[in-house]
Amino acid sequence: LGGAAAPATQPMYKGHAWFSDKGEPYTYDPEKAKQLLAEAGYPDGFTTTFVVPTSGSGNMWPMQMNEYIQKNLKDVGINVKLESIEWQTLLTQFLSGFPKDKEVGAYNISLPTISPSFYSQFFATSSIFPNGINLGGYSNPAYDELINKATASFDPAEQTALLNQASAII
């Protein structure tokens, strides 16, 4: 993005109280990605769809950004079909649940992350939304325990410490 942005390594930006210096960022390693895909049962990769807005949601260049991701994933055997739709249609589709006619691997939308509920909505084993926002099906008991404690706490310092630990896991 020509210096207009920094790579995201956690839900929060570096310098935020919930950002953890203990997190291990992913590195660009196509060979390791292929190995992980094979271990997950996809030795020949797979095909998925990314639903991308034509504009809106704070996306600077939604199609160009997704084309870059598409190219990188193709290098490891993941074929991404890009479906570009109007912003409100995308939101309605996202909130009503997964479409039954295709495998959607990502909805390119920007939702607020500066809320403790973000951690439970997108990464907890049991999302609070009936249709689920945990699109990847992420499940980690240690993470869930931290999130449950953080959402039950009324002490801002305790909540901050727990969310910082959760960020390191993510």
Side-chain angles (χ1 to χ4, degrees), residues 51-69:
V51 182
V52 181
T54 54
S55 64
S57 182
N59 285 287
M60 295 186 301
W61 303 289
M63 193 52 95
Q64 294 89 334
M65 291 167 65
N66 280 274
E67 287 170 345
Y68 181 75
I69 294 168

Side-chain angles (χ1 to χ4, degrees), residues 87-162:
W87 170 239
Q88 189 58 51
T89 304
L90 187 151
L91 277 182
T92 301
Q93 188 180 98
F94 175 74
L95 293 173
S96 65
F98 302 112
K100 307 294 183 238
D101 62 333
K102 63 182 166 247
E103 177 67 34
V104 175
Y107 281 94
N108 186 326
I109 58 176
S110 298
L111 295 174
T113 59
I114 301 187
S115 163
S117 66
F118 169 83
Y119 287 81
S120 60
Q121 292 171 1
F122 292 92
F123 299 102
T125 300
S126 59
S127 172
I128 62 172
F129 287 88
N131 294 319
I133 294 182
N134 184 351
L135 294 176
Y138 181 76
S139 182
N140 179 324
Y143 177 84
D144 289 341
E145 183 177 344
L146 288 169
I147 295 309
N148 290 337
K149 286 180 182 176
T151 56
S153 175
F154 291 97
D155 177 355
E158 178 185 24
Q159 193 176 65
T160 292
L162 292 165

